[in-house]
Amino acid sequence: MTNKTIADWTSLATKEIKASPDTLTWHTPEGIDVKPLYTKDDIAGIDHLDSLPGFAPFTRGPRATMYAGRPWTIRQYAGFSTAEESNAFYRKALLAGQQGVSVAFDLATHRGYDSDHPRVEGDVGKAGVAIDSVEDMKILFDGIPLEAISVSMTMNGAVIPILANFIVTGEEQGVTRNKLSGTIQNDILKEFMVRNTYIYPPEPSMRIIADIIEYTAKEMPKFNSISISGYHMQEAGATLVQELAFTLADGREYVRAAIAKGLPIDEFAGRLSFFFAIGMNFFMEAAKLRAARLLWTRIMQEFEPKKASSLMLRTHCQTSGVSLAEQDPYNNIVRTAFEAMSAVLGGTQSLHTNSFDEAIALPTEFSARIARNTQLILQHETGVTKVVDPLAGSYYVESLTNDMAEKAWALIEEIERLGGMTKAVDDGLPKRLIEEAATRRQAAVDRAEEVIVGVNKYRLENEEPIDILQIDNSAVRLSQIKRIEQTRRQRDPKRVSETLARLTEVAKTGEGNILEAAVDAARARATVGEISDAMRVVFGDHVATPEVVHGIYGKAYEGDPEMETLSGRLNDYSKASGKPRVLVAKLGQDGHDRGAKVIASAFGDIGFDVVAGPLFQTPDEAADLAIAEKVNVVGMSSLAAGHKTLAPQLVEALKARGAGDIIVVVGGVIPRQDYDFLIEHGVSAVFGPGTNVMDAARAVLDLLEGRLKNS
């Protein structure tokens, strides 16, 4: 093609773009305007273009040969109610090509409660494996050689007892702690922002992190002491720029905490790891990982490390859970494959691919095999491992990488002006921005401005139910209680008491290392709950105040006839019976509150009077709050499979208090197979994944009007 031809084509394209700038330019939620055409002019002056893989700023990858030398590690994050079932799954997966174990714990464990605690009746064995002591952990890794297999554990709140149990399990398997490899998440700032599986307030939580970094730097040289996670931020609704900026700002804060502990930067920096979500914005996700490495190098240079490895960002990635849809669920296999390819082209070091049924329930063995094989096909059949950084030099990707880095750096600098990430979290800035972004996206999906195939466009008229994994929560809990009782009978009570007292003393005085003291307690067979409580008596519990954003969902529907009709009906109802009042409730230990916050925000904008309930309520506490607030409706949000236990208990608790006229509805990750069960147990309506918020609001108003008509 001649220069004249290129010039003519460019001129024609430019005229077309100028004629329709808004329709051809993509205005992303990150505030980046993506043009339909990129040329070499768009990458002029970008500094990182001259870098090579394995060299700072590592934009093209942390290792010189990347996958051409060694492919990424295939991981499957999983936990199936009991240690026995989880162990069986891990062993099969390892034989089938999985290269490391990633453990998902149940919410009771996350929050530092033993399975026999009354607050966790609906949570034991749901959404992960129940671990109460070393005895459970030994079963979990039975037959899995810990000196050879890398173990990743997603744990933040109860990080001390879980890591202590892992270390003791290694010892009793004959593997000294210096040979243990893997990662503990240990990222508490993210929990305060989005995921909410915290236990203690921010200050003592940061001290726990510093103690873990100190202990592992000295005792566990092959183990990553922290996985600084953006994954749950994106799952909670963060834009990609927010995920990138807040994750790196968290990392900077943790480095400062370790240095304040007296650790030289080069002693621990090489064992820091990161964890990012990979959603459906294919090229931007790849650019995000490249920008993350560039910016982390910039941050770490502030601390003047001597080793080049201290500047490297190494990351695990997981395909998005939020992108999975209940409707037409086999589409999720395609989504996950695209997301996995994006992570690989971005240069991840390890990867988990979600199973297609995870929008509905825990994965089955069938769906987990498809997810794992997605990675095996990527590694062995696509050729992506043959070339280091295949996207290097792309006008679009390089420009996008630069735009992502600039936008994220501006947000990181804003956090610095606030006094750092701990201060920003205390002030609520990250949480507020993420909740605003989540509500904005929900409105875009509800209005079909953002198309989700099979959900808000190209819907199937009839959908066949798929087989799902059902967990008998009661049976799992009884089994766990039996093992706890047996452990307590067989241990030395005096030794347990002494080690727990020592742990409390270390927590109180700051003299000694908390993890070291907890390892002694775990050896004595102190339980996860007992070790957590030994610190609770000193640190206390963190209690968050629920806040709801306003005006964002409603603004998206300004002038919309659908909204005006619904508002008119609400006004008519309010004149007849008072403004309808709704309690949005979170029961059990499920801290995932994106859905609850979006519903509370949207319903408020639509015209309901909304009460946002606190996290971690029991059914009795929610019933008391509903009566005290004089609500008409309780909307229970469930994302962690506790609905079949907790929703009927809530209905009965209201009836027992003479408030059976309060309508109970349930929404969240609920399989259609469970709808009839919930309706039979007094729930008036069920809203599964992908429900349009306007449809939910109309359904709730229908129930209220029906109740008014029949009263």
Side-chain angles (χ1 to χ4, degrees):
M1 189 179 285
T2 66
N3 288 338
K4 184 176 184 302
T5 307
I6 293 171
D8 289 344
W9 186 90
T10 303
S11 175
L12 177 63
T14 302
K15 284 179 183 177
E16 290 182 5
I17 290 168
K18 285 182 177 178
S20 308
D22 287 331
T23 57
L24 292 175
T25 298
W26 175 23
H27 307 286
T28 75
E30 290 76 16
I32 296 171
D33 289 341
V34 175
K35 303 182 298 181
L37 175 66
Y38 284 77
T39 69
K40 63 182 179 182
D41 293 338
D42 292 293
I43 61 173
I46 294 178
D47 293 336
H48 72 255
L49 293 178
D50 295 330
S51 67
L52 289 170
F55 292 87
F58 306 103
T59 314
R60 298 189 61 187
R63 291 170 49 237
T65 57
M66 286 301 289
Y67 309 142
R70 185 181 71 198
W72 66 91
T73 301
I74 296 173
R75 294 187 182 277
Q76 287 304 107
Y77 175 58
F80 294 91
S81 62
T82 66
E84 290 89 346
E85 288 185 49
S86 300
N87 173 262
F89 175 86
Y90 298 151
R91 290 170 72 167
K92 281 184 185 177
L94 289 167
L95 287 172
Q98 184 172 310
Q99 294 153 340
V101 171
S102 293
V103 184
F105 297 95
D106 74 356
L107 290 167
T109 306
H110 272 290
R111 292 269 295 144
Y113 292 112
D114 289 331
S115 297
D116 59 356
H117 197 286
R119 296 196 72 87
V120 299
E121 187 177 344
D123 299 297
V124 176
K126 294 286 192 179
V129 60
I131 297 293
D132 291 308
S133 75
V134 171
E135 295 305 318
D136 290 323
M137 192 76 84
K138 285 169 66 177
I139 295 168
L140 188 67
F141 294 113
D142 181 44
I144 296 173
L146 293 178
E147 76 279 6
I149 297 297
S150 170
V151 176
S152 173
M153 294 179 285
T154 300
M155 178 53 64
N156 301 282
V159 63
I160 287 290
I162 287 301
L163 188 49
N165 280 335
F166 177 67
I167 291 166
V168 175
T169 296
E171 290 175 357
E172 298 189 8
Q173 206 186 81
V175 183
T176 55
R177 53 184 173 270
N178 65 322
K179 293 179 182 176
L180 294 171
S181 64
T183 303
I184 189 85
Q185 193 163 98
N186 193 27
D187 176 8
I188 202 65
L189 288 175
K190 168 263 301 177
E191 297 296 322
F192 293 122
M193 277 186 265
V194 289
R195 190 162 172 257
N196 301 312
T197 52
Y198 45 70
I199 301 175
Y200 316 109
E203 189 175 337
S205 295
M206 288 296 291
R207 184 182 151 204
I208 285 170
I209 287 171
D211 275 18
I212 290 171
I213 293 173
E214 178 188 51
Y215 182 95
T216 53
K218 293 175 180 176
E219 304 287 339
M220 303 171 71
K222 297 172 67 176
F223 197 83
N224 297 321
S225 56
I226 191 167
S227 175
I228 305 152
S229 174
Y231 183 87
H232 300 99
M233 297 179 198
Q234 188 181 140
E235 292 290 278
T239 68
L240 271 62
V241 163
Q242 290 170 350
E243 178 193 10
L244 178 55
F246 295 151
T247 304
L248 298 185
D250 279 352
R252 180 191 250 167
E253 200 83 342
Y254 296 139
V255 169
R256 287 170 174 161
I259 289 172
K261 190 82 177 170
L263 288 174
I265 185 72
D266 287 320
E267 276 193 18
F268 67 89
R271 303 315 304 175
L272 303 177
S273 67
F274 287 79
F275 175 28
F276 288 103
I278 303 294
M280 286 298 290
N281 193 337
F282 186 89
F283 287 107
M284 192 172 283
E285 289 287 8
K288 178 185 75 182
L289 298 185
R290 303 171 97 248
R293 291 190 290 269
L294 186 154
L295 293 181
W296 185 244
T297 296
R298 186 184 300 177
I299 287 170
M300 292 303 284
Q301 283 170 339
E302 300 169 8
F303 303 104
E304 300 180 351
K306 300 294 187 293
K307 295 179 182 177
S309 60
S310 296
L311 301 172
M312 287 182 194
L313 180 145
R314 306 160 191 79
T315 191
H316 170 70
C317 289
Q318 180 175 336
T319 58
S320 174
V322 167
S323 71
L324 304 178
E326 178 203 31
Q327 297 85 354
D328 207 356
Y330 292 110
N331 289 341
N332 295 334
I333 298 172
V334 182
R335 292 185 178 105
T336 295
F338 283 135
E339 291 169 350
M341 176 72 89
S342 178
V344 168
L345 292 178
T348 189
Q349 278 60 73
S350 68
L351 179 62
H352 164 89
T353 34
N354 286 333
S355 301
F356 74 86
D357 49 1
E358 287 187 59
I360 307 163
L362 284 170
T364 62
E365 191 171 320
F366 169 74
S367 65
R369 181 173 177 270
I370 294 173
R372 182 175 58 253
N373 285 354
T374 299
Q375 294 196 54
L376 291 171
I377 291 166
L378 264 177
Q379 283 193 358
H380 296 287
E381 298 186 30
T382 64
V384 294
T385 61
K386 307 299 184 185
V387 177
V388 178
D389 192 17
L391 296 183
S394 159
Y395 299 146
Y396 175 40
V397 173
E398 298 292 12
S399 178
L400 197 54
T401 298
N402 191 61
D403 289 343
M404 289 283 290
E406 288 184 353
K407 290 279 187 183
W409 190 252
L411 188 48
I412 290 169
E413 291 291 88
E414 182 180 347
I415 291 162
E416 283 295 284
R417 287 191 292 273
L418 284 174
M421 200 59 179
T422 304
K423 185 68 168 62
V425 168
D426 282 342
D427 290 349
L429 173 71
K431 194 174 185 69
R432 184 176 70 253
L433 293 178
I434 290 170
E435 289 173 2
E436 288 174 357
T439 306
R440 200 173 287 115
R441 181 173 187 262
Q442 184 65 48
V445 170
D446 287 351
R447 291 173 58 81
E449 293 166 356
E450 182 176 332
V451 174
I452 301 177
V453 174
V455 177
N456 60 9
K457 203 168 185 180
Y458 312 113
R459 285 288 299 266
L460 287 174
E461 285 189 20
N462 297 298
E463 294 192 37
E464 293 295 322
I466 63 170
D467 291 333
I468 62 168
L469 182 68
Q470 293 276 9
I471 302 295
D472 186 344
N473 167 243
S474 299
V476 173
R477 188 165 184 259
L478 287 173
S479 171
Q480 288 300 123
I481 290 172
K482 184 183 290 187
R483 189 175 294 144
I484 292 172
E485 290 172 347
Q486 182 179 2
T487 299
R488 287 175 176 154
R489 282 196 305 270
Q490 293 176 344
R491 68 191 186 180
D492 179 350
K494 183 172 181 291
R495 188 178 165 211
V496 173
S497 179
E498 288 172 352
T499 56
L500 289 174
R502 168 64 183 153
L503 175 58
T504 298
E505 185 66 15
V506 172
K508 187 188 230 176
T509 64
E511 296 175 7
N513 185 285
I514 289 173
L515 178 56
E516 184 177 32
V519 168
D520 288 338
R523 283 196 196 101
R525 294 310 191 260
T527 66
V528 166
E530 289 166 342
I531 292 172
S532 299
D533 287 346
M535 294 180 284
R536 266 189 177 104
V537 297
V538 178
F539 298 149
D541 284 275
H542 177 70
V543 179
T545 303
E547 295 179 3
V548 177
V549 299
H550 300 285
I552 291 172
Y553 193 90
K555 186 177 180 181
Y557 274 90
E558 274 182 353
D560 188 285
E562 186 183 7
M563 177 68 88
E564 289 177 356
T565 299
L566 183 56
S567 295
R569 285 181 60 196
L570 267 170
N571 286 334
D572 291 343
Y573 179 89
S574 298
K575 288 174 185 174
S577 191
K579 193 172 185 180
R581 195 163 170 81
V582 178
L583 167 63
V584 179
K586 289 291 295 181
L587 305 187
Q589 301 307 305
D590 175 17
H592 298 80
D593 63 351
R594 173 181 179 163
K597 289 292 183 68
V598 166
I599 288 294
S601 178
F603 268 53
D605 286 357
I606 289 166
F608 290 87
D609 195 358
V610 176
V611 178
L615 292 169
F616 314 128
Q617 283 195 310
T618 64
D620 284 332
E621 289 166 347
D624 288 338
L625 181 61
I627 293 166
E629 292 287 349
K630 299 179 180 177
V631 304
N632 310 98
V633 180
V634 177
M636 173 184 152
S637 172
S638 174
L639 275 79
H643 50 272
K644 288 178 73 174
T645 300
L646 297 170
Q649 289 181 356
L650 173 61
V651 171
E652 291 305 313
L654 288 168
K655 287 180 181 176
R657 289 158 174 76
D661 59 328
I662 294 177
I663 295 167
V664 175
V665 299
V666 180
V669 180
I670 301 164
R672 295 186 188 191
Q673 291 92 321
D674 292 350
Y675 286 16
D676 288 345
F677 173 89
L678 293 173
I679 298 299
E680 289 167 7
H681 286 79
V683 172
S684 296
V686 182
F687 305 112
T691 299
N692 184 296
V693 174
M694 293 291 285
D695 291 343
R698 275 191 291 270
V700 169
L701 185 53
D702 288 344
L703 291 168
L704 288 164
E705 289 173 339
R707 184 67 57 88
L708 181 63
K709 191 180 295 184
N710 295 326
S711 61

